[in-house]
Structure formats: C-alpha cells, structure tokens
Amino acid sequence: MKKITRHLAILLLLTYCNITPKEPKSIDGKIEKALADNNIPSVSVGVIKNGKIELMKGYGNLSRNDSTKVDENSIFQIASQSKMFTGIITNTLIQEGKLNIDEPIITYLPKEISESSRKALSKITLKNILNHTAGIPSDACSVYSERIEGEAWLKGYSKDNLVADINKLGLEFNPNSQFQYSNSGYAMVGLILEEVSGLSYKALLKKYVSDVYNLKNTVVDLNSEQKSVLVTPYKKDKREIATKSSNMGMATPASAIFSNAADLTKILLAQLNAYRENKTQSPLILTNQTSQMDDGLEYGFGLIKETKGENVKYGHGGDADGFACEYFLNPEKNIGVVLLTSSGGRWVGELANSILEDLK
C-alpha cells in the first residue's frame, strides 16, 4: 500500500510539473501577473468596452518607499504620447486659419533662424514634419543628443537652445522621400505653434486640450497637489533604481507632458466616438493625412493607423525609460485601452495589446 501511495505521489508531482500555467483571463489577473513578472512598482489603466468606460484603476504604490496606492488619478509623464496632444493643437490652429499644412515651415519659424538654415529647410512643409517625412534627425536637438539613456533630463531646454540647434541641423534625406521618426521634428512643431498663436505651449495645451476636453491633470508643469500624486519612475534595465521625471522645456511637445489614466481614458473615449461617427473635421481625427511607416502602418499627426489585423486600430505610446505609456483604440469594435507605468520596456505594449484583444 505504501509503495502504491508513493508511486501515486510521484505521478502527481510529475504531472504538476508538466502543467504550463495558463495566462490569466481577467484584466486584473493580466496586470498583476505583468507587475510580478517584470518587477514593476505601479500601473494605471483605463479600459473602454462597448463605447463606455469599463475600468479605471491603479495597481501598486506611488513608489517603492511610499505605500500610497496608485489609482486612476495618479500622475505619470507620458513621453512620446505627448505628440498626440501636439497634433490636436495643430489641427485646431489649422481650423482657425493660423496654419497651412502644405506651407513650408520657414513661413512660420522665428526671425532668429538664419538665412542659410531657411534655405536648407525651405522644402519642408508642416505636413512633412508632422508625418516624420522631413528628414530632420531625431536627435538634432541637444536635449536628445546629450541625454544619457536611462537618465532623466533635468536641465530644461530653452527657445534659444532650440533656435541654435535648428541653425546648425543637417537633413538626413530629402523631404518627403522616406519616413523617419523624429522627436526633434515635433519640438520644432511646438516652436511653430507658439510663433503663430503668440501663446506658450503650456497655454496652448490648456486652451485647446485640457479646457476643451476637461483634462484637469494633463499639463506641462505640475502644481503642488499634482506633485503629491506623481508616481516615482524606475529604470527599465535596473528596476530597483529610482529616477525622476524630465524637464524637457521646448521639447515637451514631443516628449514630456504629464497626465493620468482618468484624463487619457476620457480623451480616448472622445476620440473613439469621433472616429466612429466619422467626424473628419474634429481636431481629434489625426489620420486624415498620413505617411507610410511600414507595411500596414501609417503615421498621422501624432497618431498611428494600423491595418495589419482584421480591424483598423489607432494608437501611439511613449517610453522615457522610467515612464511608459500605451494608448490604443479600435473604432469598429468600440473599444480602447490606456496603460501608464512607472518603468518601461517591451512588456507594456504586449500587455496593452493583450487587453485590447480580450475586449473584442
């Protein structure tokens, strides 16, 4: 009898060891597993299903040293997701007649730009720069070329810095001949927006985005209350080491807006409705004019259109090492997802896509 029992125990153990753990089906389960597997201190999520907000929730703590729980109001820096907001502002100024996307950008650049630079940039249109087909190197701005990967940028970046960089930049290819993602290009868009409006980018974001769509925590600079709920970022290759949010100055339109899951889910829902209702004149429609990124991928004005799967999906994201963001919407299925995290990496996009797939 003891021999049979021992054999049965061994059999059960072998069977157990050969079982492959199933992926959790619930959103809670997926996120909690991702947090554990990737050693991530915090995630904040917003989910839209059937055109309604299904979930807004936080997971983890504000930092490894602060037990305050993260929720949908906790604030993160959203890195390159900032480009979407720059696109919305641009669309609005186009509708106000202050910008023409087919106009050479030298029409709008400040007088401090040298004649030689104006000549070099004369064939670049606003559309080129928004679609990343201008030939402007991504690290043309010193804020990008001097930044050390994995380190926060704390030095700021003034208008004088940006003008100086524009005056010495060289193009990597002829405008409109190919696609190349450029952070520096969107920094230049921010400068153009300020020039034609007479407003700072901070004021533009408030006037044309935060006030219009009631996004109270989508800002350039944090007030004291917002700072108290700012999540601490951690390096993605050394996730025990805390870093800081960056001060990107004039490069903020490309890389450094602050927001939270509550705000991003709210504008995601508005954008989802604009696409479903085909409101082509809405500033939220950012893919009326696109460039070809890759097979099945097109870049609009801060938003990517993907036609690789059975449905058209739109989105963007950002990864500033310590902070990361994913933002997806599928108008046909009437679904969307926002993820904000305190440490970046490949896992963020994989998790967001997995959640989106489960919503279909």
Side-chain angles (χ1 to χ4, degrees):
M1 182 68 180
K2 287 183 178 179
K3 188 175 182 180
I4 294 172
T5 303
R6 187 166 61 250
H7 285 170
L8 180 60
I10 292 170
L11 179 62
L12 288 171
L13 179 62
L14 291 172
T15 303
Y16 175 78
C17 290
N18 285 320
I19 292 174
T20 301
K22 292 182 178 179
E23 285 295 311
K25 292 295 184 182
S26 71
I27 293 173
D28 278 336
K30 284 180 180 291
I31 293 175
E32 287 167 0
K33 184 176 187 303
L35 286 172
D37 288 351
N38 296 284
N39 188 24
I40 305 300
S42 59
V43 164
S44 194
V45 61
V47 175
I48 294 171
K49 185 175 181 179
N50 297 323
K52 297 180 180 179
I53 296 176
E54 175 92 352
L55 175 70
M56 283 199 300
K57 186 176 178 180
Y59 302 77
N61 303 328
L62 282 184
S63 82
R64 295 191 186 278
N65 301 315
D66 185 341
S67 61
T68 304
K69 295 300 181 183
V70 167
D71 61 22
E72 67 273 17
N73 297 308
S74 303
I75 292 177
F76 299 72
Q77 206 160 34
I78 63 172
S80 283
Q81 189 64 37
S82 304
K83 293 180 178 70
M84 180 186 76
F85 291 111
T86 299
I88 293 169
I89 296 167
T90 303
N91 263 351
T92 308
L93 293 178
I94 289 169
Q95 291 178 1
E96 290 183 354
K98 294 176 181 175
L99 287 170
N100 181 335
I101 58 168
D102 296 316
E103 192 76 21
I105 60 170
I106 58 172
T107 305
Y108 305 118
L109 290 173
K111 63 181 184 304
E112 292 91 345
I113 302 302
S114 68
E115 285 304 314
S116 60
S117 292
R118 288 179 181 278
K119 184 176 180 180
L121 302 173
S122 62
K123 294 183 179 179
I124 297 175
T125 66
L126 184 59
K127 179 182 174 182
N128 291 149
I129 203 168
L130 287 161
N131 287 163
H132 297 298
T133 59
I136 297 168
S138 190
D139 63 353
C141 295
S142 55
V143 67
Y144 295 114
S145 62
E146 295 176 10
R147 177 181 174 268
I148 299 171
E149 182 63 27
E151 301 295 332
W153 181 266
L154 305 176
K155 301 177 183 178
Y157 186 62
S158 69
K159 179 180 176 180
D160 286 345
N161 295 147
L162 177 53
V163 167
D165 286 335
I166 293 172
N167 279 335
K168 63 186 179 186
L169 77 81
L171 300 183
E172 292 195 326
F173 54 83
N174 291 327
N176 210 35
S177 64
Q178 64 186 75
F179 175 91
Q180 180 172 285
Y181 192 88
S182 176
N183 284 313
S184 294
Y186 265 71
M188 290 174 65
V189 173
L191 175 62
I192 289 169
L193 299 180
E194 291 192 350
E195 287 297 308
V196 301
S197 68
L199 298 173
S200 68
Y201 185 81
K202 176 180 177 178
L204 286 165
L205 182 67
K206 183 178 187 303
K207 179 177 180 179
Y208 292 119
V209 177
S210 302
D211 287 352
V212 175
Y213 303 101
N214 193 27
L215 310 182
K216 296 179 180 179
N217 292 294
T218 300
V219 296
V220 170
D221 298 316
L222 300 175
N223 60 32
S224 57
E225 182 180 351
Q226 291 163 336
K227 287 178 182 177
S228 72
V229 292
L230 176 65
V231 174
T232 298
Y234 291 83
K235 295 185 176 185
K236 64 184 174 187
D237 59 342
K238 296 177 181 178
R239 291 193 172 123
E240 299 296 326
I241 300 177
T243 181
K244 298 179 180 180
S245 56
S246 290
N247 173 13
M248 302 293 283
M250 290 294 290
T252 296
S255 306
I257 289 173
F258 293 94
S259 191
N260 60 20
D263 278 8
L264 288 178
T265 306
K266 190 180 295 183
I267 198 161
L268 177 64
L269 181 57
Q271 195 168 48
L272 186 64
N273 289 333
Y275 271 94
R276 282 179 60 81
E277 296 167 17
N278 196 28
K279 295 180 178 178
T280 56
Q281 298 305 308
S282 169
L284 297 177
I285 301 293
L286 298 172
T287 51
N288 284 330
Q289 302 203 45
T290 61
S291 61
Q292 195 71 32
M293 295 176 66
D294 202 349
D295 184 36
L297 290 174
E298 302 169 45
Y299 200 97
F301 293 1
L303 197 68
I304 298 167
K305 179 180 180 181
E306 180 180 327
T307 55
K308 290 183 177 180
E310 58 182 272
N311 306 117
V312 177
K313 180 174 77 173
Y314 300 86
H316 210 286
D319 192 328
D321 194 62
F323 288 112
C325 172
E326 291 291 353
Y327 178 102
F328 294 134
L329 59 143
N330 183 324
E332 184 176 339
K333 297 295 184 181
N334 209 9
I335 56 176
V337 61
V338 168
L339 270 182
L340 292 164
T341 84
S342 60
S343 190
R346 199 178 193 86
W347 69 275
V348 188
E350 292 171 351
L351 177 59
N353 270 306
S354 177
I355 293 171
L356 195 71
E357 285 298 312
D358 285 352
L359 294 173
K360 293 182 180 179

